[in-house]
Amino acid sequence: MSAFDERALFRIAWITDPHLNHVPASRWDLWCDALRSSDPTALLITGDISDGDDGWFQLDRLATCVTCPIYFVLGNHDFYGGSVAQTRRRAVQAARESSRLVYLTDSEPIRLADDVFLVGEDGWGDGVIGDARTSPIRLQDFQQIDDLRGRTTDDRLATLRAQGDESADRLRQKLMQVPDVATTVWVATHVPPYRESCWYEGRIADDQWAPYFVCGRVGECLDDVASRRPRMNLEVLCGHTHHRGVYRRAQNLRVYTGAADYGHPAIEGLIERGGLNDLDGLA
Ligand SMILES: [Fe+2]
Ligand SMILES: [Fe+2]
């Protein structure tokens, strides 16, 4: 295959927060048809595939709709009913048992073209941004995820911060593995990395919501890598807030936050050689 042919070849359908357990059986075939008719070379899901264990069923089901690889990271809902470590082990296993599922958090950079790469990391609302100590927000996560249940606020915050640190460490390692030839790196993650990328009905998160809707440590990692590698464009795709927006953090660092509507999964945009070909005005 020539380099010219290869450049034209990728066309990745980006989906975020599909929450597939909310999709009625009567709508599933339409959803499959929409995926197929977008003619993707791969699907990319930035988390909240479903709730807990149902996610594995849903990924297998998606794999019967399309014949292409399915790249994914996990969102907070995907960890429901278990511990973070158990769920990640299960994701690693699911990807190993499948020829088409790729868990990006556990994967090295994926080469999409000569100079275009894809990396991914789950991410967490890690309590770093905003005012976690005075926030009255109590997420379902605090009941549904073993690591967070029954904890004091201080314990919970320490756990969330540790998860944010781990996410940033893994992401940094992957970004450092991307070869110098890269001009564009797509970074798939669930939680917005900056307050300014944490949209809700056209506004960004306040001090009360930001601790649980921003992964501050991943944001710091991206800032650092973007400044060290100015010739590499970082294009970040995330979800979690279910409201869309675009934030240009630096000349070579931009964050797209995708929308979601329970029961109505959608393709957020198509990633192609020229960038994100948005279906609904995001780009
Ligand atoms: Fe979600
Ligand atoms: Fe989420």
Side-chain angles (χ1 to χ4, degrees):
M1 178 189 301
S2 73
F4 178 79
D5 290 333
E6 191 175 305
R7 271 186 215 124
L9 272 181
F10 70 89
R11 175 180 169 87
I12 300 176
W14 171 38
I15 299 153
T16 196
D17 297 74
H19 293 276
L20 294 174
N21 51 323
H22 289 268
V23 179
S26 58
R27 202 170 292 134
W28 182 263
D29 287 344
L30 288 174
W31 167 233
C32 267
D33 287 347
L35 291 175
R36 278 192 289 258
S37 63
S38 70
D39 194 23
T41 57
L43 304 185
L44 170 63
I45 312 176
T46 47
D48 282 0
I49 298 160
S50 184
D51 277 0
D53 278 351
D54 184 60
W56 317 121
F57 165 73
Q58 300 290 357
L59 283 171
D60 283 344
R61 210 174 168 207
L62 273 181
T64 66
C65 288
V66 291
T67 55
C68 58
I70 302 173
Y71 303 126
F72 68 97
V73 297
L74 299 175
N76 51 314
H77 280 251
D78 299 308
F79 290 92
Y80 283 8
S83 73
V84 173
Q86 278 170 349
T87 303
R88 287 217 174 102
R89 278 199 297 273
R90 185 74 196 272
V92 169
Q93 185 189 344
R96 284 190 185 148
E97 288 172 355
S98 163
S99 58
R100 287 191 288 122
L101 295 180
V102 179
Y103 179 36
L104 292 174
T105 301
D106 185 53
S107 169
E108 294 187 342
I110 309 274
R111 183 173 165 275
L112 301 176
D114 288 344
D115 57 347
V116 182
F117 290 79
L118 169 67
V119 301
E121 170 57 43
D122 305 334
W124 283 90
D126 60 1
V128 168
I129 304 298
D131 192 351
R133 289 197 188 285
T134 65
S135 173
I137 306 301
R138 297 289 178 268
L139 299 180
Q140 262 199 64
D141 301 18
F142 303 167
Q143 297 300 319
Q144 298 286 345
I145 298 173
D146 290 358
D147 310 61
L148 304 176
R149 189 183 308 116
R151 300 295 185 89
T152 64
T153 299
D154 281 351
D155 273 0
R156 196 165 51 229
L157 278 175
T159 300
L160 292 171
R161 286 181 187 213
Q163 290 296 342
D165 285 339
E166 277 185 34
S167 286
D169 287 348
R170 276 192 299 264
L171 180 59
R172 182 185 306 277
Q173 284 177 28
K174 281 174 269 206
L175 288 170
M176 298 315 277
Q177 286 178 46
V178 172
D180 287 341
V181 69
T183 57
T184 300
V185 180
W186 292 95
V187 180
T189 190
H190 182 61
V191 177
Y194 305 107
R195 183 200 294 260
E196 295 86 346
S197 59
C198 186
W199 301 92
Y200 189 84
E201 294 183 343
R203 302 172 64 177
I204 58 170
D206 62 19
D207 278 346
Q208 312 287 289
W209 284 99
Y212 305 115
F213 277 75
V214 178
C215 191
R217 291 290 187 243
V218 161
E220 291 167 13
C221 165
L222 290 167
D223 284 342
D224 184 45
V225 172
S227 68
R228 284 169 190 264
R229 298 186 66 174
R231 286 196 299 273
M232 187 168 84
N233 287 306
L234 294 170
E235 302 277 18
V236 182
L237 302 170
C238 62
H240 190 47
T241 69
H242 293 201
H243 289 253
R244 59 175 44 198
V246 186
Y247 170 50
R248 184 173 281 283
R249 175 73 173 181
Q251 187 60 34
N252 62 333
L253 171 55
R254 179 168 41 183
V255 183
Y256 298 96
T257 308
D261 182 11
Y262 283 109
H264 295 84
I267 298 169
E268 200 63 22
L270 295 168
I271 301 161
E272 296 176 297
R273 176 75 198 179
L276 178 66
N277 179 4
D278 174 31
L279 302 180
D280 196 23
L282 181 67

